[in-house]
Amino acid sequence: MTKEDLLKLQNGSDIRGVAIEGVEGEHVNITEEACLKIGGAFVKWLSKKSGKAAGDLKIGIGRDSRITGPFMENAIAKGLKANGAQVVKCGLSTTPAMFMSIVFEDTKFDGSVMITASHLPYNRNGIKFFDKDGGLEHEDITDILELADKEDAESHKNADITQCDIYNLLETYSAHLRSSICKALGKKEEEKPLSGLKIIVDSGNGASGFFVKDILDPLGACTQGSQFLEPDGTFPNHIPNPENKEAMKSIQDATVKNKADLGLIFDTDVDRMSAVLSNGEEVNRDAIIAMISAILAPEHKGATIVTDSVTSDRLTYFLEDVLGLKHLCYMRGYKNVINKQKELNQKGIDCPLAMETSGHGALKENYFLDDGAFLAVKMIVALAKASKEGKKLESLIEKLPPLVEEGEYRFKISGENFKEYGKGVLEEFKKRAQKKGYLLPDNHEGVRLSFKRGNSSGAEGWILLRMSLHDPVMPMNIEGARKGDLEKLVKIAAELVKGFDRLDTSCLK
């Protein structure tokens, strides 16, 4: 593989690519050679950062349920071993558990590797890395891939990994989550603190099946009706993705059919989650942020909640006017919101939660780790407390205004230097909006327009135009506060983006 081939595997702060043939037009680029080289490079990178000799480094490696996980695990482990690191194979695991392996006293790894491509199709796979500071940054991945170019894959193939330690990390991680629930409810495990509650899980054949058998069942919850718990990397039932409509309908139907108090759905590697209330209503996107914020609000009065840029004005109202919190509507990208959360806390500003509408949510109390299972624990504790008071979980967000109408429109940019062109579009879009007298609230990504009650346009809602993080596309999100407002706002948007020669806005029609 060339250096260029390796660098093409970078996807933000992760590595991702095609790991097996089977989808027309998509050819393997995460090869055994790439994994051998990347494993070896991670040892050198971690040794330099930590100041430890390679032979003193203990590195854990885990994988989700994807069918290409075992081959990648072996190749990466050989690369790690070839460069002198102590390697511990954790087998089926989750992304949050692999970070916690650096924290747990039983493991105390110096670094860890998670093989996952989140919710992407079965033919894809990828790699995430952790050290004591959390998930690696974009520039760290670039450094590792540049180091990988200098690694000798052929010699790494001969590394003996038969002597690698084997460790059941999910067992330790599950005990940690059970302990968190018991502590919050003031009960011991043997007291079955979740007795009387019916909680079901849809794992989508990802890695989250342990949440039922190792957490909910031992604590006394009724989990009958949980589905697709067996790991199967072909994902035969639906994509393990809380944002996928088919996946969400699956857990909604199961929750209502089984008369559950709460339904939970996770993505493949369990760093994201969403939920379903007893009436089948989904707690997703803005609602999941509202729910977790409402749970945290009593202990964090006046605190700041960081979200990505596409959250709604409805959420701002709920966080600020109902809960008395502050809302910082920041940028897309889970690393962006988490890094902003860390920055605020370092400045002495209480920021207990950073969360994207995708379901990535990081809690200050949990090492700023985006951990879907830990967020589920917070909701389960809130459910148990509400139930004890004769209330339902939905009472926490009953004052969140409902979603009425929304749309997302993706404008493709043709030609070269799309980022520069997109920047010019945003500048002109803003000028046109200002000339029309539209309200432009403070914003950290793209240009946002807010249409309050009584404005001259006759519409209520908001419009956000921004650049895609990686692609030659400008997404536009529009939300109408009342029926008919979406159509009015689309007409306003169409007028504001008219005449850009390289911007395809035909989807607005």
Side-chain angles (χ1 to χ4, degrees), residues 284-304:
N284 210 358
R285 298 181 65 79
D286 290 322
I288 191 72
I289 300 172
M291 177 71 77
I292 302 298
S293 298
I295 292 168
L296 298 172
E299 295 180 10
H300 296 273
K301 296 187 184 300
T304 297

Side-chain angles (χ1 to χ4, degrees), residues 9 11 14-19 23 26 30 64-68 116-128 204 206 232-235 238-242 244 267-269 271-272:
L9 297 176
N11 184 288
D14 300 340
I15 288 170
R16 285 187 182 174
V18 178
V23 176
E26 297 189 7
I30 292 193
D64 67 19
S65 60
R66 292 172 182 277
I67 55 178
T68 52
T116 181
S118 187
H119 61 279
L120 292 181
Y122 78 95
N123 66 321
R124 304 295 186 97
N125 216 331
I127 310 167
K128 294 175 182 277
D232 183 341
T234 64
F235 309 130
H238 61 70
I239 297 170
N241 178 12
N244 178 268
D267 71 342
T268 320
D269 60 326
D271 59 0
R272 292 190 295 127

Side-chain angles (χ1 to χ4, degrees), residues 47 101 128 140 170 202 274 316 370 427 465 484 492 501 504:
S47 176
S101 69
K128 294 175 182 277
D140 299 324
L170 279 183
D202 184 325
S274 286
T316 301
D370 50 322
E427 289 173 356
L465 179 65
I492 290 171
D501 59 338
D504 181 5

Side-chain angles (χ1 to χ4, degrees), residues 161-182:
I161 57 172
T162 60
Q163 301 303 311
C164 287
D165 288 338
I166 307 294
Y167 185 79
N168 188 345
L169 179 61
L170 279 183
E171 191 174 283
T172 303
Y173 178 63
S174 297
H176 161 68
L177 295 179
R178 289 197 306 271
S179 174
S180 297
I181 292 172
C182 291

Side-chain angles (χ1 to χ4, degrees), residues 177-381:
L177 295 179
R178 289 197 306 271
S179 174
S180 297
I181 292 172
C182 291
K183 184 179 178 182
L185 296 177
K187 299 276 189 178
K188 295 178 181 178
E189 284 194 29
E190 53 267 31
E191 294 179 89
K192 307 290 185 184
L194 300 183
S195 292
L197 296 177
K198 187 160 193 178
I199 304 169
I200 65 171
V201 172
D202 184 325
S203 290
N205 303 109
S208 62
F210 75 96
F211 200 88
V212 171
K213 69 181 183 68
D214 294 332
I215 298 166
L216 296 176
D217 286 346
L219 296 183
C222 174
T223 58
Q224 185 178 0
S226 292
Q227 57 191 17
F228 317 137
L229 304 182
E230 289 301 313
D232 183 341
T234 64
F235 309 130
N237 295 291
H238 61 70
I239 297 170
N241 178 12
E243 287 192 289
N244 178 268
K245 289 182 179 179
E246 182 187 358
M248 179 52 71
K249 187 175 187 308
S250 174
I251 183 62
Q252 285 178 301
D253 290 347
T255 302
V256 173
K257 178 182 176 182
N258 291 282
K259 296 181 171 59
D261 299 298
L262 179 66
L264 298 170
I265 182 168
F266 299 94
D267 71 342
T268 320
D269 60 326
V270 202
D271 59 0
R272 292 190 295 127
M273 64 81 67
S274 286
V276 175
L277 300 173
S278 58
N279 62 2
E281 181 183 342
E282 65 178 278
V283 186
N284 210 358
R285 298 181 65 79
D286 290 322
I288 191 72
I289 300 172
M291 177 71 77
I292 302 298
S293 298
I295 292 168
L296 298 172
E299 295 180 10
H300 296 273
K301 296 187 184 300
T304 297
I305 305 297
V306 179
T307 72
D308 59 353
S309 61
V310 298
T311 47
S312 172
D313 288 356
R314 297 177 298 111
L315 180 64
T316 301
Y317 162 79
F318 181 75
L319 295 179
E320 297 190 346
D321 292 20
V322 177
L323 298 181
L325 302 170
K326 297 182 181 70
H327 181 200
L328 175 55
C329 190
Y330 195 52
M331 299 171 66
R332 292 283 275 176
Y334 73 96
K335 289 294 289 183
N336 289 329
V337 295
I338 293 173
N339 286 342
K340 174 55 73 170
Q341 177 191 29
K342 290 179 178 178
E343 177 192 316
L344 292 176
N345 281 289
Q346 286 167 358
K347 291 178 178 177
I349 299 169
D350 183 21
C351 181
L353 174 68
M355 196 162 188
E356 274 200 308
T357 47
S358 66
H360 274 291
L363 293 167
K364 180 173 71 171
E365 68 182 270
N366 192 42
Y367 306 95
F368 301 102
L369 175 64
D370 50 322
D371 183 345
F374 196 84
L375 289 176
V377 161
K378 299 295 284 187
M379 291 187 70
I380 289 165
V381 169

